[in-house]
Amino acid sequence: MAVTDEVIGATTAALADYAYLAGMIDAADRIWAYNTILDEMGAEGPAPAEGWVLAEPAADDGFDLDAALAVLAEASAAHGRVEDTATGHDRAAMRIMGALMPRPSAIAARWEALRASDDPAAATDWFYRLCCDAGYVRRSAIAKNIAWKTPTRWGDLEITINLSKPEKDPRDIARAGAAKNTGEKYPACQLCIENEGYSGRGAASPMGDHPARQNLRIVPIELGGERWGFQYSPYAYFNEHSIAMSAHHRPMHIDRASLTCLLDFVDTLPHYFIGSNADLPIVGGSILSHDHFQGGAHEFPMMHAEVAQAFTMPGFEDIEGAVLTWPLSVLRLRADDRARLLDACVHVIDRWRDWTDEEVGVIARTPDGTPHNTVTPVIRRVDTEGRVGGERYEAYLALRCNITSEEHPLGVFHPHAEYHHIKKENIGLIEVMGLAILPARLKTELAAVGARLRAAAQAGAAPADVLAALEADPACASHAAWAREVFARRSDELADGDVDAILHEEVGAVFGHVLEDAGVYKWDEAGRAAQQRFIDAL
């Protein structure tokens, strides 16, 4: 339904005032901003309401940025500026916000001034707020995610069902199917710094669809003596979820150079952690083609794990080593001396790259020379009490191996098939640290499973009958074996208790098992002995 000129005028004026109150423009820019918004929509009017031009803007607690942009995006589609699809509307909204934001040079100058004031947190506080206010960090979408914590033997694991990323519009899917792919893409990927200000593409583009990035701002930072970019993630998985990406489109790599960059990052922003996905398939993240890191202000469950064993490496007696009580095999190294910590980390990684222990299935290289061992590293700075931002350096090295087998073709140290109904994707950096990112399909599937289990419990059904009913329901079929086992253990609770809470507990337990699958050294006698063999080899 087309919106009226009256609504367009009022919304345009309200957005101009919002941009001023959010610090994107000055008061003297309001008329310019109004007309700029019209131009971005392809509109020649309407005029603002009488009195608005000279009025003093006041904060409007009821202003809804998403709703305002939805109105203006619809007007943009009506004027033919974008196609009338979900991605078209999104490109229109981002175009409008990008026009209202300061230029990258102005943002970089403000960032550097704040960061150099001996309070780096002031720089990140300002920049994060700007990215949220500009609609680049999708706060309302992120708020849709379902999140909870589950107590396990490893501590409280954090579980999220990710609902923030928008679903594909069927019209976009149809256009994508009709498009001829030229094989040439610009930007090369969504992590390239060339995304800053890019207008995006629809599904019909020969280069394929690409999200609009007009309101993206990237501040320059120097890591490892090179130019990198720093930005916030639009669909954040944790508090102040940020990304540092190389200015060069090159593959991920874990080595002395990358660890140097991680240490440079925490020297630049000591109140943030920083980490990297592993640099091999299966155990790496979703984007291995572009060198990048992820960081932020969150403290993950892994960072609170207890010490199972302290150790010292010959030649590195000043480095405090610890094996953590964690489902993945994680070594924590601490030191006051940055250079010494770097050398110690490189020593561990180099040793692990060549480490084979066939008794527990760890194979460094297959006969054709293909490497299989790497690490997922995380760095932060802490004080002597372990609080973030201190003078001590702390490195977490999660040992990874991406070997496959006939029994586990997707990876021996990867979620095993029995848990794929909950989690089949790679265990990357964020999940290594104890935060599950689960697929959106689980929202409806778990609701369907819960309804069937409650009804069966109240009817006093037998577990075998429950299994048959679950297998016959398309929404429940993939979960049938697991749900039957839950029913057998907890039918009394399911009859009268909080079914959602029960299933959340059980999903959290599955995530714990998934992480155990990803651990190269299990917490049994054989695994502990194998872990000790590697520690002794250091």
Side-chain angles (χ1 to χ4, degrees):
M1 180 182 295
V3 293
T4 65
D5 279 356
E6 181 181 6
V7 171
I8 291 173
T11 304
T12 301
L15 182 58
D17 286 348
Y18 170 83
Y20 161 66
L21 293 167
M24 299 178 205
I25 63 174
D26 291 333
D29 299 326
R30 290 170 63 245
I31 298 172
W32 164 86
Y34 184 97
N35 289 326
T36 294
I37 296 169
L38 293 182
D39 183 54
E40 295 297 337
M41 290 189 292
E44 297 174 349
E50 185 176 356
W52 175 82
V53 171
L54 299 178
E56 182 69 26
D60 180 2
D61 293 336
F63 180 76
D64 185 331
L65 177 62
D66 291 333
L69 291 175
V71 168
L72 302 180
E74 186 174 342
S76 295
H79 285 96
R81 290 285 281 174
V82 295
E83 65 270 24
D84 189 16
T85 66
T87 56
H89 284 218
D90 190 65
R91 289 203 309 280
M94 298 307 100
R95 174 187 292 133
I96 289 168
M97 293 309 302
L100 297 177
M101 289 188 73
R103 291 191 176 186
S105 57
I107 288 177
R110 177 76 183 277
W111 161 273
E112 189 55 34
L114 289 170
R115 194 189 65 79
S117 67
D118 294 328
D119 185 11
T124 54
D125 287 348
W126 166 78
F127 187 43
Y128 181 68
R129 184 173 61 252
L130 174 68
C131 293
C132 291
D133 290 343
Y136 185 74
V137 175
R138 309 292 183 99
R139 286 179 292 192
S140 59
I142 295 166
K144 297 176 183 177
N145 292 340
I146 300 170
W148 69 91
K149 293 184 179 181
T150 298
T152 71
R153 64 174 292 195
W154 314 110
D156 289 347
L157 298 180
E158 298 175 351
I159 316 296
T160 63
I161 296 177
N162 182 29
L163 303 175
S164 59
K165 290 189 178 180
E167 295 182 4
K168 290 285 187 180
D169 187 313
R171 293 167 294 181
D172 287 324
I173 295 172
R175 284 183 168 88
K180 181 179 180 181
N181 192 337
T182 64
E184 299 176 0
K185 291 187 177 182
Y186 173 80
C189 77
Q190 293 186 31
L191 291 176
C192 290
I193 63 173
E194 290 86 355
N195 278 276
E196 189 173 39
Y198 187 66
S199 61
R201 300 186 296 269
S205 168
M207 291 193 292
D209 63 346
H210 192 95
R213 292 291 186 253
Q214 293 100 321
N215 63 339
L216 166 63
R217 295 297 181 265
I218 301 171
V219 294
I221 57 175
E222 183 177 305
L223 303 178
E226 294 183 335
R227 160 73 188 276
W228 285 60
F230 175 84
Q231 69 166 88
Y232 286 101
S233 173
Y235 298 105
Y237 293 143
F238 52 84
N239 188 36
E240 297 179 43
H241 184 177
S242 54
I243 303 170
M245 56 279 193
S246 172
H248 305 286
H249 182 71
R250 64 189 181 203
M252 297 280 292
H253 58 101
I254 302 299
D255 50 25
R256 178 178 289 273
S258 61
L259 291 169
T260 298
C261 289
L262 295 178
L263 288 163
D264 284 349
F265 183 94
V266 296
D267 282 345
T268 301
L269 301 175
H271 57 297
Y272 275 5
F273 85 91
I274 190 72
S276 175
N277 271 305
D279 53 357
L280 294 178
I282 298 177
V283 296
S286 58
I287 300 178
L288 297 179
S289 60
H290 195 113
D291 205 4
H292 72 286
F293 310 131
Q294 297 180 74
H298 194 61
E299 287 197 55
F300 290 84
M302 182 189 73
M303 297 167 178
H304 299 285
E306 296 182 357
V307 173
Q309 171 192 353
F311 67 89
T312 302
M313 297 180 289
F316 296 97
E317 287 78 9
D318 54 329
I319 305 297
E320 179 185 314
V323 175
L324 297 186
T325 304
W326 192 243
L328 282 94
S329 305
V330 178
L331 306 183
R332 188 189 68 198
L333 305 181
R334 284 178 173 170
D336 297 325
D337 188 317
R338 168 187 157 142
R340 290 288 292 161
L341 182 74
L342 174 60
D343 287 343
C345 288
V346 172
H347 172 69
V348 172
I349 293 170
D350 287 349
R351 194 74 183 93
W352 176 246
R353 293 275 192 194
D354 294 328
W355 187 256
T356 289
D357 191 335
E358 294 184 0
E359 288 188 33
V360 290
V362 173
I363 308 296
R365 286 179 177 80
T366 38
D368 63 357
T370 301
H372 294 291
N373 289 355
T374 185
V375 304
T376 301
V378 178
I379 303 285
R380 63 177 186 163
R381 283 174 53 173
V382 297
D383 62 17
T384 55
E385 302 299 321
R387 292 184 293 261
V388 178
E391 295 300 316
R392 302 193 77 196
Y393 293 91
E394 183 174 72
Y396 297 84
L397 303 177
L399 308 178
R400 313 299 301 275
C401 178
N402 77 343
I403 197 75
T404 61
S405 68
E406 289 186 8
E407 183 183 2
H408 301 293
L410 298 182
V412 173
F413 304 107
H414 178 80
H416 291 175
E418 64 185 300
Y419 303 126
H420 286 180
H421 65 103
I422 298 294
K423 179 67 176 177
K424 186 177 182 180
E425 299 79 11
N426 293 0
I427 300 302
L429 168 68
I430 296 169
E431 288 168 320
V432 163
M433 296 186 288
L435 170 57
I437 311 298
L438 302 180
R441 62 177 172 80
L442 288 178
K443 178 183 179 182
T444 54
E445 291 175 1
L446 291 176
V449 167
R452 287 201 173 274
L453 294 186
R454 176 185 286 280
Q458 292 176 339
D465 295 332
V466 172
L467 179 63
L470 290 165
E471 290 176 334
D473 185 340
C476 303
S478 67
H479 303 286
W482 166 75
R484 179 224 178 268
E485 192 273 330
V486 172
F487 179 82
R489 287 189 289 106
R490 308 185 70 170
S491 58
D492 290 345
E493 298 172 75
L494 288 164
D496 302 310
D498 186 336
V499 174
D500 288 343
I502 292 169
L503 290 182
H504 283 180
E505 288 178 13
E506 296 292 339
V507 168
V510 168
F511 180 58
H513 294 314
V514 162
L515 295 185
E516 291 167 7
D517 285 347
V520 294
Y521 295 126
K522 309 308 181 188
W523 288 83
D524 55 20
E525 185 176 349
R528 294 303 87 204
Q531 172 107 74
Q532 189 59 51
R533 287 195 291 273
F534 179 67
I535 296 294
D536 292 343
L538 294 175

